[in-house]
Amino acid sequence: MAEVLEFEPGFQTLSLRDTDLKAEKKLKKKTKQSSKRRSRKVDYLDTEIASDKLVEDITCKGCRKKFSSGRVPKILHCLHAMCTECINVSFLFNEGKNKVKCASCGVLSAGRNAESFRTQSFVQILADIASCYEGHLSGTLHCIGCSNVAGLRCLTCNENYCQEHTDFHVRSRATSHHKVLSFKQILNAPLIISTIKREENCPTHPAKIMEFFCFTCRLPVCTACALTQHKDCIYEELGTAITALKQKFENLKPAFNKKQYNLKKAGSALDATQKNVEGEFGHSMAGLSDSMDKIMRTLRQKEASMNHCIEDHRKEGQGEMRVHQSLLEEQIANIESGVDFVDTVFEFWSPLEVLSMEHDILQRLTELATEGEAPSDDIKPKPYELPPDTEGNVVEAISCMYNSAVTEGPKKDEEKDGKND
């Protein structure tokens, strides 16, 4: 199998069978120069082929599949491209309306079927070249003239060649002006496809090239068709029609530029508004955080104050209980001492002495029995009572603090701005 080499446009390969010594030296010299040129382009050719834009261009927006011979790219009225499969499916979903919905912008385009829309030939050729490049890498793409792997493409003929048949193709007098490039070169610079001048033959007169465009029938026509079938129609030479169309586009450019400028200006305003909203949101969040910190500090201070009040009330209650306790202990001690005295009198005193103290003993015992009132069993300190509507007061205080924080924030910002001015 012949080795596939990168072809340099404009370089005419010389045959090694030439026995002329000068021709052989010239061949070696040109081969050396060509090798140097290829070595300088290695970094360029080895760059990533499948760029994001290239993949996006050759992919249908409806099914996200690559365009191919079965999925031909068609141009809708919105100037976006969709494959024939997606267009036919869209017609089925919009049955009776004869409209297809663009997958990119959603605009409806009227038509009968996929074939009623014009083919996007540039994208179709680009997708075909990308598919051929994949076949070249896998070794399944063969040269049109032999079974060798094809590595080059004639953009004029739209045919794939190996290096040997490429040399023959460019040496031929009829095809010497054709542009042959490798798949890598084309995919790295896809706009080169548009530089190839393609001439279409008339389907009615195959020997004639379509040189005119009929504006009445909206069809390209050849000279014979223009003089016969379209003699009553309005038609112009293709070059003239293209020049007039370009002039119309140039006339529309100022309006496009103005609309684009206004849209970009509106986009910039939206970006600025978005930034302001984000800044205000951040400021509000920071202000809310500060307000919550103040509220929590106030609540903690209020809690500490109420704890002190409760602690003071507890100490006061404990003091009151100690007073009652001491009074009880004193009464108990008096009763015990009186009882002990009576027991001593009856045990150690003589009857005469006891009877002589009868009045004093009975009076003292009566006093001890009736002195003061016996304390109640349910003596309890007075419970601590919270201020009325404590929760409502706290909520109201929090609301006041929040409102003051919200109003103080803009005032501080205005003061800062005033100082800066």
Side-chain angles (χ1 to χ4, degrees):
M1 185 173 64
E3 182 182 3
V4 177
L5 301 175
E6 302 292 346
F7 177 76
E8 294 291 334
F11 172 70
Q12 300 294 329
T13 307
L14 297 179
S15 175
L16 294 175
R17 298 177 182 177
D18 193 351
T19 56
D20 185 74
L21 184 59
K22 292 183 179 180
E24 187 175 354
K25 288 182 179 180
K26 192 179 295 184
L27 171 64
K28 290 181 179 180
K29 183 177 180 181
K30 290 203 172 198
T31 303
K32 188 176 180 180
Q33 293 175 351
S34 178
S35 299
K36 289 182 178 179
R37 287 195 298 269
R38 286 199 300 271
S39 64
R40 288 195 299 268
K41 297 175 69 176
V42 166
D43 293 338
Y44 169 73
L45 294 176
D46 289 343
T47 54
E48 183 64 34
I49 296 297
S51 63
D52 293 338
K53 187 179 185 309
L54 176 63
V55 174
E56 189 72 16
D57 289 342
I58 63 176
T59 302
C60 175
K61 305 301 184 297
C63 57
R64 304 306 300 175
K65 294 182 180 179
K66 293 181 180 179
F67 294 118
S68 60
S69 57
R71 295 180 178 273
V72 180
K74 295 291 183 176
I75 305 175
L76 304 180
H77 297 333
C78 58
L79 304 183
H80 291 133
M82 285 177 62
C83 70
T84 51
E85 292 291 332
C86 291
I87 292 176
N88 290 329
V89 169
S90 183
F91 275 126
L92 290 177
F93 278 104
N94 295 278
E95 187 176 1
K97 299 180 180 179
N98 293 330
K99 291 182 178 180
V100 56
K101 186 176 182 180
C102 177
S104 298
C105 62
V107 173
L108 296 176
S109 300
R112 297 182 304 276
N113 50 38
E115 298 304 322
S116 60
F117 298 98
R118 186 167 181 80
T119 302
Q120 173 59 290
S121 57
F122 173 79
V123 175
Q124 186 178 19
I125 294 174
L126 193 61
D128 180 54
I129 292 174
S131 177
C132 291
Y133 180 67
E134 293 177 357
H136 163 71
L137 294 178
S138 61
T140 57
L141 181 68
H142 298 292
C143 173
I144 192 174
C146 63
S147 59
N148 293 336
V149 177
L152 299 104
R153 172 80 163 227
C154 177
L155 294 177
T156 309
C157 304
N158 281 333
E159 293 177 346
N160 306 317
Y161 297 100
C162 64
Q163 184 65 57
E164 182 178 354
H165 282 87
T166 298
D167 296 341
F168 175 79
H169 192 72
V170 298
R171 284 201 306 268
S172 176
R173 179 177 298 179
T175 57
S176 60
H177 63 284
H178 289 192
K179 187 179 285 295
V180 183
L181 298 172
S182 69
F183 297 124
K184 276 189 176 183
Q185 288 173 315
I186 299 172
L187 294 177
N188 274 319
L191 292 179
I192 198 172
I193 298 174
S194 60
T195 63
I196 306 301
K197 183 179 179 181
R198 293 182 176 83
E199 297 176 343
E200 298 182 15
N201 294 330
C202 178
T204 306
H205 307 91
K208 297 286 186 179
I209 296 174
M210 292 187 288
E211 300 176 347
F212 299 91
F213 188 82
C214 177
F215 290 97
T216 306
C217 303
R218 309 300 300 176
L219 291 173
V221 295
C222 67
T223 306
C225 290
L227 296 176
T228 56
Q229 301 175 12
H230 300 269
K231 61 181 180 179
D232 297 328
C233 299
I234 300 174
Y235 58 87
E236 284 184 354
E237 193 268 332
L238 290 178
T240 305
I242 288 295
T243 302
L245 181 60
K246 286 183 178 179
Q247 186 58 45
K248 291 179 181 179
F249 178 69
E250 290 296 328
N251 295 337
L252 290 174
K253 263 189 176 181
F256 290 155
N257 294 335
K258 183 178 180 180
K259 184 66 176 291
Q260 185 181 22
Y261 171 77
N262 292 333
L263 290 175
K264 288 183 177 180
K265 187 177 179 180
S268 300
L270 287 176
D271 291 339
T273 304
Q274 179 67 20
K275 290 180 180 179
N276 292 336
V277 170
E278 292 178 357
E280 291 177 358
F281 174 76
H283 179 73
S284 300
M285 291 297 293
L288 178 60
S289 179
D290 293 340
S291 300
M292 291 304 298
D293 290 340
K294 292 178 181 179
I295 291 171
M296 293 306 297
R297 284 197 299 270
T298 303
L299 289 176
R300 283 192 287 270
Q301 292 173 0
K302 185 67 176 177
E303 180 185 12
S305 176
M306 296 179 70
N307 286 335
H308 286 305
C309 293
I310 294 173
E311 181 65 21
D312 294 340
H313 182 73
R314 182 185 68 82
K315 291 179 180 179
E316 182 181 350
Q318 287 179 346
E320 184 179 351
M321 291 298 101
R322 280 195 292 270
V323 171
H324 285 292
Q325 183 70 26
S326 62
L327 292 175
L328 289 174
E329 290 175 354
E330 184 180 353
Q331 291 180 10
I332 292 171
N334 291 333
I335 292 174
E336 289 177 352
S337 63
V339 172
D340 290 341
F341 177 77
V342 172
D343 291 339
T344 302
V345 167
F346 281 106
E347 184 176 358
F348 297 103
W349 287 17
S350 65
L352 184 61
E353 291 175 335
V354 171
L355 292 173
S356 63
M357 293 291 297
E358 177 183 3
H359 179 268
D360 295 333
I361 292 173
L362 291 177
Q363 185 179 359
R364 179 57 182 165
L365 291 177
T366 301
E367 291 176 356
L368 291 175
T370 60
E371 185 181 19
E373 294 182 358
S376 175
D377 295 337
D378 57 350
I379 295 179
K380 295 180 181 178
K382 185 179 180 180
Y384 178 77
E385 296 181 359
L386 294 173
D389 198 16
T390 302
E391 295 182 2
N393 293 336
V394 171
V395 172
E396 184 179 358
I398 291 173
S399 300
C400 293
M401 292 181 62
Y402 176 75
N403 292 332
S404 63
V406 170
T407 54
E408 286 177 4
K411 290 182 180 179
K412 292 181 179 179
D413 294 339
E414 290 176 3
E415 291 176 0
K416 290 181 180 179
D417 295 339
K419 292 180 180 179
N420 294 333
D421 295 339

